[in-house]
Amino acid sequence: METIKIISSYALPAIILIILCIGLYKEVKVYDIFVESAKEGITTVIKIMPSLVGLMVAIGVFRASGALDLLIFALRPVTDFLGIPKEAVPLAMMRPISGSASLALISDIMKVHGPDSFVGRVVSTMMGSTETTFYTLALYFGAAGIKKIRYALAAAMIADFSSILASVWICTLVFGRS
Amino acid sequence: MLNYIWFGMIVVGFVVGIMNGRIDEVTKAVIESSGKAIEISIGLLGVMCLWTGLMGIAEKSGLVELITKLARPILRFLFPKIPAKHPAIGAIVMNLVANFFGLGNAATPLGLKAMNELQKLNPRKDTATDEMSTFLVMNTSAIQLIPATVISIRAALGSANPTEIVGTVWVATVSSAIVGIIAVKTLGAIFRRGKQWKL
């Protein structure tokens, strides 16, 4: 499992180096293009700001009132059985529906438990390895005019579910459960 | 759908808060959370800019195109029924590669194009084909090179090592993609057999 830690440490620097070297080799004005493209990052963040405010307020209310604890408590038997940390359950429920709500949720979870806690690492891994399945399905099939989706949703949900279990499993192996 | 969830969370939150006698905490949470949302967004800015900037270079230098070319044979294997020169394959590959690099804005139009191309091959226009389902599952399993948003949030919240989850994300995402593809192929076979039996 040391290998996965090493991969995590070297992945970003290696990718940055490869991108820059290939860029220079292909005679791309690397710095100019970087600055030009980085603007898009600002637009992306500005665009999600209003939804992040709305959703984080809703999550904040839900947690501060004790409603979140009730929900987690109710789902306790299922999560204990599957070995999923109970704090990660709301994310597992929200992830297929909304990307910005999931983003708000993981921010909230990591704010409370810390990004370097076991729960923090599990929700980070879950967030990075799944997609907004319902939204994507509705968008893509809707655009093509598909009404009978047959087994598509079932297969996508199986994949999502396996990625939740895989996240818990790999984080336990790599970081240890603490 | 999100309209109801949002409304539900706030209303349930207030009601439970009143019942628990925690209305002061709830009020405090309203104010604090909205401020925190902006704080986190600003924390996001740095890494997001870095990443989109680098992706700009990757696109311009033809790296994205190169990966697209390399990915083509694998895709042909997963979509055996699509004719060799059909534009659907190209659109699917480009969509998956755009997702792989986290180019969300580029990925969606390519995905829609891929779906429309697959629809041209569809004999029954209102029913999803096996290829469409395979593409959807591959898309939602979200194979991603660098989970930039997650790293940004971890950094914004003061993680000692924001990128330590890159390896675990890769493992989780690849295993879910494999499970997804197995699920699609298995369910597809079951459905085909069901049709023979007039289910």
Side-chain angles (χ1 to χ4, degrees), chain A residues 13-82:
Chain A
I15 290 162
I16 293 176
L17 265 179
I18 292 170
I19 290 173
L20 289 184
C21 291
I22 292 184
L24 204 69
Y25 174 72
K26 291 278 179 185
E27 291 170 359
V28 174
K29 287 183 182 137
V30 279
Y31 181 67
D32 293 347
I33 297 294
F34 175 83
V35 172
E36 181 59 39
S37 314
K39 282 180 198 154
E40 205 187 300
I42 298 182
T43 344
T44 313
V45 174
I46 302 267
K47 261 194 226 156
I48 63 164
M49 266 171 141
S51 37
L52 213 53
V53 171
L55 292 160
M56 282 206 70
V57 168
I59 292 163
V61 168
F62 201 71
R63 184 164 48 77
S65 68
L68 186 64
D69 293 333
L70 284 178
L71 177 71
I72 288 171
F73 180 76
L75 291 165
R76 197 73 199 259
V78 185
T79 49
D80 279 359
F81 177 70
L82 295 170

Side-chain angles (χ1 to χ4, degrees), chain A residues 8 54 65 116 121 144 147-148 151, chain B residues 6 126 128 130 159-160 164 167:
Chain A
S8 297
S65 68
D116 298 329
R121 287 158 168 165
K147 290 189 183 68
K148 295 179 190 148
Y151 55 85
Chain B
W6 191 66
D126 64 337
D130 291 340
S159 165
E164 71 181 354

